[in-house]
Amino acid sequence: MKISVVVPAYNEEAVIGRCLDALVSQIVPVDEILVVDNNSSDRTGEIAEKYRDHGVRVIRETTQGLVPARNRGFDEATGDILGRIDADTLVEPDWSQRLAEAFADPTVSAATGPSWFYDAPLHRTGLVAQRLFCHRVNRMLSGHPMLWGSNMALTKECWRELREHACPGPDIFEDLDLAIHLHRLGRKVCYTDRMRAPVSARRIGGSLRDLHRYLRTWHHTYALHGERRAAVGARAFKFAGLVFLFPSVSLMLRAYTPYEGTLSLRKLFSRSEEARPIP
């Protein structure tokens, strides 16, 4: 069973090296890594090219957007299993092994797993929160499993069927879109808790306006697919999160990763987080 991993990337020179380091250091090596350079104006493509000897192939996609970049990578991948992560994802060393275990079941068409923020404090709390809000809440709203775009995979055979149904975007949660169509096609999605891939907290560490713009795509995706109750629920969760959670989370992130010369909480949390593995 050959595994390909697709990494869409736009101006990711700050993180793409670490992402590829994690991929090429898997306990069970992946067979192919495709970095889809989506019109980057920085050194993203140049850095990725340095990993050619480790099975990395760089593809240039000129149509701007995550969905065209993802589609191009999936279309050109040669593996039986097509993994998909983000450029700021740092997969765990046994990620590909867990992925292969999930697809050992021939009835599984897609697999996903949890994440936490590697550049934020309280990793265990982040893991629990991600399981709750990204997987369980969406399952409650939609009635079917969710996919997490930073940590997912599907079979090549499934992608061939799914390709013509997937929405072009741009204002959608592309992973949620795929999950909805997988459900409608009667495909089985497997949630694997040990298939873990930490990501950066940079999105929620930005401005409230940017986070709101991003999260409104959540309920818009449900509405686009005619799932009105789910859209209403997602809108309510988004509002509650922005009003009650964002201020405290943003403050903690700024304290944890502050500007140069200011007090940081990183050392305070790092000892407790590294004391034992995340359950």
Side-chain angles (χ1 to χ4, degrees), residues 24-272:
V24 302
S25 301
Q26 292 291 288
I27 296 172
V28 177
V30 299
D31 299 281
E32 180 183 49
I33 302 168
L34 296 89
V35 175
V36 186
D37 186 358
N38 196 204
N39 299 311
S40 297
S41 58
D42 64 2
R43 297 176 58 246
T44 297
E46 177 185 343
I47 295 171
E49 291 280 4
K50 296 179 180 179
Y51 290 80
R52 280 189 174 276
D53 292 342
H54 296 280
V56 175
R57 181 155 57 101
V58 179
I59 302 170
R60 316 289 177 178
E61 173 53 52
T62 57
T63 303
Q64 195 66 47
L66 176 57
V67 173
R70 178 205 67 193
N71 291 356
R72 178 71 181 278
F74 280 173
D75 289 343
E76 295 209 15
T78 61
D80 306 299
I81 305 300
L82 311 181
R84 145 86 168 97
I85 64 173
D86 287 328
D88 65 352
T89 301
L90 299 180
V91 294
E92 293 282 89
D94 62 350
W95 182 79
S96 62
Q97 176 184 341
R98 302 299 182 181
L99 187 154
E101 290 171 356
F103 286 98
D105 180 350
T107 67
V108 171
S109 293
T112 192
S115 298
W116 63 88
F117 298 126
Y118 57 75
D119 51 1
L122 304 176
H123 292 174
R124 295 177 186 82
T125 301
L127 177 62
V128 171
Q130 199 272 346
R131 285 170 177 153
L132 173 63
F133 290 106
C134 295
H135 293 284
R136 293 176 185 172
V137 166
N138 272 291
R139 183 158 193 158
M140 178 187 71
L141 292 175
S142 66
H144 58 75
M146 172 61 172
L147 288 175
W148 175 240
S150 300
N151 181 16
M152 58 161 282
L154 67 164
T155 66
K156 182 71 170 181
E157 178 268 333
C158 175
W159 172 243
R160 292 193 182 103
E161 181 182 16
L162 188 60
R163 180 71 163 85
E164 63 182 273
H165 299 278
C167 296
D171 296 323
I172 59 170
F173 271 11
E174 54 91 18
D175 46 7
L176 176 57
D177 171 66
L178 292 184
I180 291 172
H181 289 296
L182 283 167
H183 175 68
R184 292 179 178 179
L185 291 170
R187 293 282 189 162
K188 181 179 178 179
V189 176
C190 171
Y191 173 84
T192 303
D193 192 69
R194 303 303 299 180
M195 191 178 108
R196 299 181 177 184
V199 297
S200 172
R202 57 184 178 170
R203 187 179 296 279
I204 64 172
S207 69
L208 179 61
R209 176 180 295 181
D210 288 344
L211 184 59
H212 174 265
R213 186 181 298 115
Y214 169 72
L215 287 178
R216 72 183 178 187
T217 309
W218 183 15
H219 54 81
H220 175 76
T221 304
Y222 277 126
L224 179 68
H225 292 81
E227 300 193 10
R228 296 184 178 180
R229 289 184 59 185
V232 171
R235 188 188 294 270
F237 275 107
K238 180 199 73 173
F239 176 79
L242 292 176
V243 172
F244 298 108
L245 292 179
F246 177 78
S248 57
V249 171
S250 179
L251 181 62
M252 178 177 290
L253 287 176
R254 290 176 184 276
Y256 187 72
T257 311
Y259 294 106
E260 185 177 356
T262 60
L263 179 64
S264 171
L265 297 180
R266 183 179 295 274
K267 290 184 179 180
L268 175 64
F269 284 102
S270 62
R271 291 184 179 178
S272 60

